[in-house]
Amino acid sequence: QVQLVESGGGLVQAGGSLRLSCKASGGTFSNYAMGWFRQAPGKEREFVSAISWSSGNRYPADSMKDRFTISRDNAKNTVYLQMNSLKPDDTAVYYCAASSGGWGPSVGDRNEYDYWGRGTQVTVSS
């Protein structure tokens, strides 16, 4: 049973940084795509960034690519999201997701992902 557990969220002032972690277990992830999404209150779940577990190819959302960086540590089965220059609008629950379909043109589509973590809250104060 695939499990994804996020950590690293919290309260930070505008301009600050956070690094989120997503620990994956219960599967063989070498052919998976991994993604980060976020959902603010009253809004739809939004794509943030994705990475290929095998190649390390990355696909970030345009609106966040200058501030957020996705990475992975294969040995630790962990995916990270480094978030810099945080803004109050970044306040949301951040979710890690895994797609068994692997890397492809739809990695920004939440419907491509089979497994989801429970999320970690990020709150940015002004």
Side-chain angles (χ1 to χ4, degrees), residues 1-125:
Q1 179 77 9
V2 172
Q3 289 191 327
L4 305 173
V5 179
E6 303 96 334
S7 62
L11 174 64
V12 64
Q13 288 188 335
S17 299
L18 282 175
R19 188 178 80 156
L20 306 183
S21 299
C22 171
K23 173 72 172 178
S25 62
T28 303
F29 299 99
S30 56
N31 294 320
Y32 277 53
M34 301 296 294
W36 283 99
F37 291 77
R38 69 183 186 183
Q39 189 165 17
K43 295 187 177 181
E44 292 191 355
R45 195 163 295 190
E46 176 185 26
F47 171 70
V48 176
S49 194
I51 191 166
S52 166
W53 207 292
S54 57
S55 68
N57 287 341
R58 302 171 184 175
Y59 176 62
D62 284 342
S63 61
M64 290 169 266
K65 64 181 180 180
D66 294 334
R67 300 185 296 121
F68 293 1
T69 303
I70 192 170
S71 62
R72 94 279 194 230
D73 185 330
N74 289 5
K76 295 182 179 180
N77 266 14
T78 300
V79 177
Y80 303 97
L81 183 68
Q82 177 67 43
M83 305 187 295
N84 299 326
S85 301
L86 283 162
K87 306 173 183 179
D89 284 349
D90 295 319
T91 295
V93 177
Y94 283 71
Y95 296 91
C96 176
S99 170
S100 61
W103 195 252
S106 300
V107 290
D109 183 349
R110 63 185 181 184
N111 295 313
E112 290 294 307
Y113 292 83
D114 310 289
Y115 305 99
W116 292 83
R118 293 188 175 184
T120 185
Q121 176 71 47
V122 171
T123 302
V124 184
S125 63

